[in-house]
Amino acid sequence: MLTVVENLTLDGVMQAPGRDGEDVRGGFAHGGWAQPYSDPVMAETMGKGMAAAGVSLLFGRRTYEDFAGFWPQQADNPVTAVLDARRKFVVSTTLDEPLPWQNSVLLPGEAAKSVAVLKEEVADDLVVLGSGELCRTLAEHDLVDRYTLLVHPLVLGTGRRLFPDGAAFARLRLVECVPTTTGVLIATYRPADVDK
C-alpha cells in the first residue's frame, strides 16, 4: 500500500509547512504555517503510523534533501531514530548513490515507472512525506492507495497545492477522521472504488 501524508491548508496549500525559508519557490513567504497547530493528539496519531512495523518511506529529491539536511542533526528528538532506521526510497533523476542519509536507496528514472515496480517488489507499505511533485505524479498514474491529510484551519491564498488546477478527477472515500485540539482534522481517504 502506498500512502501520501500531507499537511494542507483549507485552500489546499502544502508548501513549506515546517519552517520559515523551507521552500520559497514562487516568492512563498508563509513557511512554517503548520507549526502553531501541533498538539498531543497529532503527535500520538502520527506517531502510531511512524512506529508501525513494515513501513518504508518514499521521497522526491527536494523533500529528501531537506529531511536529510535536518533530521540526522536532531539527536534529542525521538523521531530522528525512527527516521534514521526506516528504509528510504528516493525518486530522482539528478542524485547519485551513495545517498547521504543512512538506509537510503535511489530509484533512478521516471517516477511513475520506478514506483510501480517498487510497489510490486517490496513487502513494506510505502509512505510519502511531503514530496508534492512526486505525489502529483503518483496520483496521475493511480499509484496512491491512501491519503492521510492533516487539514489545518488556515487559508494562505498562495502557494503550491497538492491538487492543482487541472488535476485528474478522482472520487475519494473518508475512512477515518481524527480532530485535534487545535482544529486540525487528520483525515484518511481511500479511492472510492476500493473496498477496504
Side-chain angles (χ1 to χ4, degrees), residues 56-78:
S56 290
L57 302 177
L58 178 62
F59 291 104
R61 179 200 52 83
R62 180 182 296 275
T63 302
Y64 174 78
E65 288 181 329
D66 185 65
F67 273 51
F70 178 79
W71 282 107
Q73 283 70 48
Q74 310 307 309
D76 296 341
N77 191 321

Side-chain angles (χ1 to χ4, degrees), residues 7-14 33 37 150-158 161 163 183-185:
N7 287 286
L8 296 178
T9 63
L10 286 176
D11 54 341
V13 174
M14 62 175 292
W33 53 264
Y37 295 94
L150 289 78
V151 183
H152 292 65
L154 178 67
V155 174
L156 294 178
T158 184
R161 295 184 296 148
F163 302 109
V184 175
L185 298 177

Side-chain angles (χ1 to χ4, degrees), residues 6-10 33-43 45-46 148-154 176-187:
E6 297 292 350
N7 287 286
L8 296 178
T9 63
L10 286 176
W33 53 264
Q35 291 304 313
Y37 295 94
S38 295
D39 77 339
V41 175
M42 184 185 296
T45 302
M46 300 313 294
T148 298
L149 306 177
L150 289 78
V151 183
H152 292 65
L154 178 67
E176 182 180 22
C177 187
V178 177
T180 73
T181 63
T182 60
V184 175
L185 298 177
I186 304 172

Side-chain angles (χ1 to χ4, degrees), residues 113-124:
K113 290 180 183 176
S114 296
V115 174
V117 170
L118 180 67
K119 284 182 71 173
E120 294 296 321
E121 291 181 347
V122 299
D124 284 1

Side-chain angles (χ1 to χ4, degrees), residues 1-3 52-58 85-89 103 115 117-127 145-146:
M1 176 174 298
L2 190 151
T3 302
V55 173
S56 290
L57 302 177
L58 178 62
R86 293 281 182 214
R87 188 163 44 165
K88 294 165 280 292
F89 295 99
N103 298 318
V115 174
V117 170
L118 180 67
K119 284 182 71 173
E120 294 296 321
E121 291 181 347
V122 299
D124 284 1
D125 287 338
L126 298 169
V127 175
D145 301 302
R146 180 171 58 195

